[in-house]
Amino acid sequence: MKWGTPSRGAGRTEVLGTPSILVVEDDDALRSLIVASLAGHGHRLEGVSSGPEVLERIVRPPKVDLLILDLMLGSMSGWDVLNELERMGLRSELRVLVLTALGSEQDIHEGWRRGVDLYLAKPFDPTALLEGVREVLLSAPERTAERREEEIRKTQLFNFIDRVFDED
C-alpha cells in the first residue's frame, strides 16, 4: 500500500497519491529536524514558522493533508490557528498532529477536546513521529474520533480521581 490521501473504507484507509504535510514550528533548527525525519518516506513536505503563514498556505494548492502543529508559535498560538481554521470552515478537511512542549495532562486533554488527531510532546523521538504520521494518515476518521473520545473519557476519569484524593 502506498502513502497518500486517505479515503474511507471498512474501518481502514486506502491510500492514493502523495500526502502533503505542512510542518508548523517557529524554531528553524527544529523545523528542519522534523522535515528531515519525515523526508524519504513518500510525503510532500513544507515548513512554515508562524500562524499567519499557516493560514496563508492552507488556502493555496496543493491541498494539505496533515498539519504538524506546534502550539507555542509567538503572537498567534497553535490553538489560535485551530480556531481560525474552524472559523474559515477548513478544520474538518485537515488532519492535525500536535507536536509541542506543552505536555501536561490538561494540555493533552485540551488537544483531544479540540479535535486533534494525535498529540505528541517534545522532546520527541523521530521514529515515534514517523509512526504517528503514518497512524494519522492511515487511520479511518471514524477510528480517530473513537480514539479521541476514549482519551477524553480517560482524562476526565483521572481528573475525577485526582479531585477525590485531593479532598482527603
Side-chain angles (χ1 to χ4, degrees):
M1 181 167 15
K2 291 184 178 178
W3 283 103
T5 304
S7 65
R8 295 174 184 97
R12 189 151 195 217
T13 300
E14 296 296 320
V15 182
L16 311 166
T18 301
S20 177
I21 300 174
L22 182 61
V23 176
V24 187
E25 171 59 59
D26 58 341
D27 181 291
D28 293 339
L30 190 50
R31 187 175 57 254
S32 294
L33 174 63
I34 294 167
V35 169
S37 297
L38 300 174
H41 293 280
H43 310 108
R44 187 173 49 243
L45 297 159
E46 291 180 67
V48 297
S49 62
S50 70
E53 285 180 289
V54 174
L55 300 176
E56 180 182 306
R57 169 55 190 89
I58 213 84
V59 296
R60 289 186 286 112
K63 178 184 177 288
V64 172
D65 297 301
L66 173 63
L67 187 65
I68 298 179
L69 180 65
D70 186 14
L71 296 176
M72 299 188 304
L73 293 172
S75 64
M76 183 179 207
S77 73
W79 298 129
D80 295 335
V81 168
L82 291 175
N83 290 341
E84 190 60 22
L85 289 170
E86 186 72 36
R87 189 193 68 72
M88 296 166 69
L90 300 173
R91 176 59 192 94
S92 63
E93 301 173 15
L94 189 61
R95 293 182 179 222
V96 177
L97 186 157
V98 166
L99 181 62
T100 185
L102 298 175
S104 74
E105 286 298 319
Q106 183 177 1
D107 293 320
I108 295 168
H109 177 73
E110 183 65 14
W112 291 119
R113 194 185 68 71
R114 289 181 180 237
V116 303
D117 297 288
L118 188 61
Y119 195 108
L120 297 176
K122 296 175 189 170
F124 68 96
D125 172 19
T127 302
L129 175 62
L130 181 59
E131 289 171 1
V133 165
R134 286 179 176 155
E135 177 184 331
V136 170
L137 289 173
L138 293 175
S139 291
E142 298 82 12
R143 174 63 190 121
T144 302
E146 289 169 6
R147 178 172 180 224
R148 187 180 307 119
E149 289 302 315
E150 180 180 312
E151 292 294 335
I152 289 170
R153 282 192 302 275
K154 279 197 289 188
T155 302
Q156 290 170 335
L157 177 61
F158 289 138
N159 288 341
F160 173 76
I161 292 169
D162 281 345
R163 282 194 306 273
V164 168
F165 284 105
D166 284 344
E167 291 175 1
D168 293 339

